[in-house]
Amino acid sequence: MNNKVGLAIRELHESENDLAARLLQISGRHKTDHEVFHLGWDLARWSQQHVRELARVGRDYDLDLDAEPAEDHNILAALREKGSELIGRHHDPALLLRDLREIHRAAAGVSLDWEILAQTAQALQDRELLDTAERCHPQTLRQMRWANAKLEESAAQIMVTG
């Protein structure tokens, strides 16, 4: 099979895993902002589902990708969680702004990768790969739009009230 397509699927799989981890991290870090907490969690589940979908279609390109989203099971994860609890009690608006910018950038990159994969699937006439891209990409766009809207809602106030 096509090694370039396999590489693109593998990179997107890694990027979706990273986006899911970032969304879960922002959710945990900003527990006092209920919208960020709940939506961050929900949006992360979309990326986790995309990881599963990519593992499934990757088999057609001789890839053995882990169908389960990556999770942190180490001491650093526990420390981050505890730090998130402490930070959550003392809401840090500047940190929220930074986190939202990182989410937006990560989602924008993932979105571009989905577009490339969809165009490639069309050229190869790979219906299963195209269907996967058409199912997953709109959710990635919504992740990006959420981060953008939250930035627009918060940025001026955060920057002015230092």
Side-chain angles (χ1 to χ4, degrees):
M1 279 286 172
N2 189 321
N3 287 338
K4 292 178 201 170
V5 177
L7 180 61
I9 293 170
R10 180 180 303 283
E11 288 178 5
L12 184 53
H13 182 267
E14 290 172 13
S15 295
E16 284 283 12
N17 256 319
D18 179 60
L19 182 55
R22 287 173 187 262
L23 284 160
L24 289 172
Q25 184 178 33
I26 192 176
S27 176
R29 185 179 284 158
H30 302 283
K31 290 179 181 177
T32 58
D33 185 323
H34 295 288
E35 178 189 349
V36 172
F37 176 73
H38 292 289
L39 276 173
W41 182 260
D42 289 342
L43 296 174
R45 284 190 282 191
W46 284 351
S47 283
Q48 291 170 335
Q49 183 57 39
H50 300 171
V51 165
R52 291 180 190 96
E53 295 271 342
L54 288 161
R56 183 182 52 76
V57 296
R59 287 191 295 265
D60 292 341
Y61 291 89
D62 300 322
L63 296 174
D64 184 23
L65 301 173
D66 192 348
E68 286 307 308
E71 293 187 40
D72 257 338
H73 292 295
N74 58 30
I75 293 172
L76 289 176
L79 289 173
R80 266 197 309 268
E81 171 104 13
K82 195 61 169 166
S84 294
E85 288 176 21
L86 294 172
I87 291 170
R89 290 188 191 121
H90 306 290
H91 181 62
D92 183 351
L95 183 58
L96 176 61
L97 188 62
R98 187 193 79 195
D99 286 346
L100 289 168
R101 290 174 66 225
E102 286 180 5
I103 294 294
H104 187 274
R105 286 181 182 141
V110 169
S111 174
L112 287 172
D113 289 345
W114 277 118
E115 288 182 26
I116 291 167
L117 202 58
Q119 292 298 316
T120 302
Q122 273 188 319
L124 294 173
Q125 297 180 348
D126 183 336
R127 191 71 226 166
E128 185 177 7
L129 186 58
L130 182 59
D131 288 346
T132 300
E134 288 176 345
R135 257 190 327 276
C136 297
H137 187 220
Q139 292 175 327
T140 301
L141 289 171
R142 281 182 263 172
Q143 290 167 319
M144 188 173 63
R145 283 193 298 265
W146 170 76
N148 188 65
K150 191 69 178 163
L151 278 164
E152 287 177 358
E153 169 189 308
S154 308
Q157 181 180 1
I158 290 170
M159 297 299 287
V160 171
T161 61

